[in-house]
Amino acid sequence: MPARTHDLPTRTRDSSSQCFPANNPGETFWQTTQHKLHDHRSTEQLPEHSDIVIVGAGYAGVSTAYHLVKDHGDVNKSIAILEARGACSGATGRNGGHARPDFYGHIPTYVDRAGARAGAEIAEFEINNLRALKKIIEQEKIDCDFTLTRSIDVWCNAEAAEKAKCVYDRMVAEGFEYMDDVVFYNGDNVEGICGVKGAKACASFTAGTMWPYKFIMHLVELIVDAGVNLQTNTPVTSVTADPEGGFIVETPRGKMHAGKVVYANNAYVSGVLPQYKKNIVPCKGICCRITVPDGVTAPLLNNSYINRTEDNVLSYLIPRADGSIVVGGAAAVFRKHEDQWYDNVDDSILIDSAKDYYNDYMQKTYSGWEDTGAKIDKIWSGVMGYSYDSNPHIGNVPGGNDQYILAGFNGHGMPVIWLSSKELAKMIIQDIPFEQTSMPRLFQTSQFRIDRALNGKTEDGDILGSGKFPATKP
């Protein structure tokens, strides 16, 4: 089914406009072959009413629908998903395929802000999320190249390596049991252990890699078969309270009525919830696939990586079974060019200042790759939702009964969303508060967090201020 671009309003981003996806996203490796339901519409017209309307058909929206259907199907609620473009056309279908929990990257910041237990909650939740992903992929027999592996953190700057060892020691001293899975290496053998030229320290722990688009689209098939009404190429332009109860959801294709609304549109959430404008900001990133010429055998990489160069440029990398490499990041390269990435929703074009960074990346970075002829096969950009304080916003929208948000993943949604959506589904169906879920306390959206961002200076937030972007994790 061709994309229905005639249904989409013209959407450009400036300081006064609303926040909506660009009409023409660039092609990614993951979506070279689009799924048959990519531009699916379950019914020719919008349903007049759905008990639950989900805004966004990416990882967050589709997972929430899956849990509503599979975990609470006996409640018999009608569900509709409205997606501005094709299913999984946003950040999930444009990321690096890295399901990597945060063991110590940003956890010390959370510990400093809210105490050791609050920091540990996040790490433990993300580790459990990885296990749950493995379980559901096996249970539903999802063909998405999922691999449980070791992820290798690498520091090539001596000072950064020393700081990393201090962080590691601090996390061990906190007594966090999950740190038993981490092995830290420094000394003369580091380069030989990780294979990265000039490495001064490295650490490893359990993580996962996958084909994210295939994972989500398999879930889309399951929920559509279960009766969820999917309406792609149908951007939600406004949601207003109906005086008679529920909500009026407006789109360029008409209006529909919703009993409850779930905002799962991540970077674009302020387009319909303007109070989140400074809380969740669209920020572009860059990612690419690297291949070697036919007939060339490159050294085997069994692990995923986070590499930090001597000048502290961070890249995340996964090896694929077909011999190719997916790598992205390089935020430090384009950080100073704010107009190219900050508050920018145009994923149809690359980030100009970083588009050439990954040329010869494997040859420059990994021992044994010098003569492989490895080169970029495809490169793309994606739009992530970065929050003011680096935590996602999940739960009841403050002051909005029967409205829920699951957004603001800071380029780190893969290790967070699956279990978060499961717990949010429980909140929606059982009408329980956030505190009765298993989600980390720092994930809860609140008026306090909203006001702090609205009243604070942009440079004081984590995106531009204390260093969450460039990301410490992919």
Side-chain angles (χ1 to χ4, degrees):
M1 182 185 298
R4 301 179 177 91
T5 54
H6 57 276
D7 287 326
L8 302 182
T10 300
R11 298 190 297 275
T12 57
R13 182 70 167 162
D14 59 41
S15 60
S16 61
S17 69
Q18 287 186 310
C19 181
F20 293 105
N23 291 330
N24 52 338
E27 186 180 85
T28 78
F29 161 68
W30 306 121
Q31 299 179 52
T32 302
T33 301
Q34 289 190 349
H35 190 275
K36 63 183 180 180
L37 297 181
H38 185 85
D39 290 300
H40 180 73
R41 287 179 178 171
S42 300
T43 54
E44 185 175 346
Q45 303 298 325
L46 295 181
E48 291 185 8
H49 167 84
S50 280
D51 296 321
I52 302 168
V53 169
I54 299 171
V55 183
Y59 192 175
V62 170
S63 297
T64 300
Y66 176 90
H67 289 300
L68 287 169
V69 168
K70 296 294 184 176
D71 301 346
H72 308 281
D74 57 326
V75 179
N76 196 29
K77 297 284 188 181
S78 58
I79 302 168
I81 302 180
L82 308 184
E83 165 58 47
R85 304 189 299 198
C88 198
S89 62
T92 310
R94 315 182 72 79
N95 68 25
H98 208 180
R100 180 182 188 268
D102 181 6
F103 277 55
Y104 45 72
H106 212 60
I107 300 300
T109 299
Y110 304 140
V111 171
D112 291 342
R113 289 176 180 175
R117 189 64 242 149
E121 283 176 357
I122 294 176
E124 291 164 0
F125 186 81
E126 295 187 6
I127 292 166
N128 288 335
N129 189 89
L130 177 61
R131 294 169 180 161
L133 276 177
K134 178 178 181 293
K135 183 176 180 180
I136 196 63
I137 288 168
E138 293 172 348
Q139 177 182 313
E140 296 286 9
K141 297 179 174 56
I142 302 175
D143 178 13
C144 62
D145 296 353
F146 179 81
T147 303
L148 199 64
T149 185
R150 299 291 286 183
S151 186
I152 312 295
D153 264 323
V154 180
W155 294 267
C156 292
N157 177 283
E159 182 180 355
E162 290 181 12
K163 290 181 179 178
K165 182 59 165 62
C166 290
V167 170
Y168 167 78
D169 290 341
R170 177 187 174 188
M171 294 295 97
V172 171
E174 290 283 2
F176 297 154
E177 185 176 348
Y178 70 82
M179 289 296 293
D180 290 346
D181 188 43
V182 183
V183 184
F184 195 97
Y185 305 93
N186 52 14
D188 297 336
N189 295 324
V190 171
E191 192 170 329
I193 292 169
C194 67
V196 175
K197 299 176 184 178
K200 301 296 190 294
C202 68
S204 79
F205 56 85
T206 304
T209 65
M210 64 195 301
W211 191 312
Y213 181 71
K214 285 186 176 181
F215 172 65
I216 297 302
M217 294 311 297
H218 189 109
L219 296 180
V220 168
E221 282 194 69
L222 294 175
I223 62 175
V224 168
D225 287 346
V228 172
N229 190 310
L230 173 63
Q231 296 288 329
T232 63
N233 300 292
T234 307
V236 173
T237 53
S238 73
V239 176
T240 55
D242 186 338
E244 297 183 3
F247 304 91
I248 302 300
V249 180
E250 294 196 39
T251 81
R253 297 175 55 217
K255 302 177 182 180
M256 67 174 295
H257 186 270
K260 297 184 178 184
V261 180
V262 181
Y263 300 92
N265 49 342
N266 198 26
Y268 311 104
V269 71
S270 68
V272 281
L273 290 177
Q275 65 266 45
Y276 284 92
K277 180 175 177 59
K278 289 184 66 176
N279 280 267
I280 300 175
V281 180
C283 296
K284 283 177 63 173
I286 199 163
C287 193
C288 67
R289 177 181 185 243
I290 293 174
T291 59
V292 298
D294 291 342
V296 174
T297 301
L300 179 66
L301 296 181
N302 286 322
N303 308 295
S304 69
Y305 283 83
I306 298 291
N307 292 326
R308 301 166 185 82
T309 63
E310 187 173 2
D311 53 353
N312 290 315
V313 178
L314 182 151
S315 297
Y316 54 86
L317 178 151
I318 70 166
R320 291 193 28 77
D322 62 6
S324 66
I325 301 293
V326 175
V327 59
V333 173
F334 58 81
R335 179 182 173 89
K336 64 182 179 181
H337 304 283
E338 287 184 22
D339 61 314
Q340 296 180 19
W341 64 272
Y342 181 78
D343 205 11
N344 186 322
V345 298
D346 191 356
D347 53 12
S348 68
I349 61 173
L350 300 176
I351 299 174
D352 189 65
S353 54
K355 64 184 181 182
D356 297 323
Y357 180 78
Y358 290 108
N359 291 337
D360 301 323
Y361 179 80
M362 298 304 294
Q363 292 92 323
K364 292 182 292 186
T365 306
Y366 287 90
S367 299
W369 282 75
E370 294 83 358
D371 300 320
T372 60
K375 64 179 181 179
I376 294 174
D377 171 68
K378 188 171 289 290
I379 185 168
W380 60 91
S381 63
V383 180
M384 300 163 283
Y386 272 80
S387 70
Y388 184 81
D389 59 10
S390 78
N391 291 125
H393 282 265
I394 307 175
N396 299 92
V397 175
N401 292 336
D402 294 328
Q403 295 187 83
Y404 303 85
I405 185 171
L406 181 61
F409 299 107
N410 303 285
H412 192 65
M414 295 290 285
V416 171
I417 292 173
W418 182 251
L419 284 187
S420 295
S421 63
K422 182 180 181 68
E423 294 301 295
L424 186 68
K426 188 188 303 181
M427 289 182 66
I428 295 167
I429 294 299
Q430 299 179 4
D431 198 25
I432 61 174
F434 183 95
E435 291 80 5
Q436 291 183 21
T437 73
S438 66
M439 286 184 282
R441 69 193 76 171
L442 294 179
F443 287 6
Q444 184 177 13
T445 193
S446 66
Q447 193 61 49
F448 172 79
R449 291 179 65 193
I450 290 172
D451 291 342
R452 182 171 55 191
L454 290 175
N455 298 327
K457 296 180 180 178
T458 299
E459 59 269 23
D460 291 337
D462 281 355
I463 306 172
L464 292 173
S466 61
K468 176 64 178 169
F469 200 99
T472 55
K473 52 197 180 186

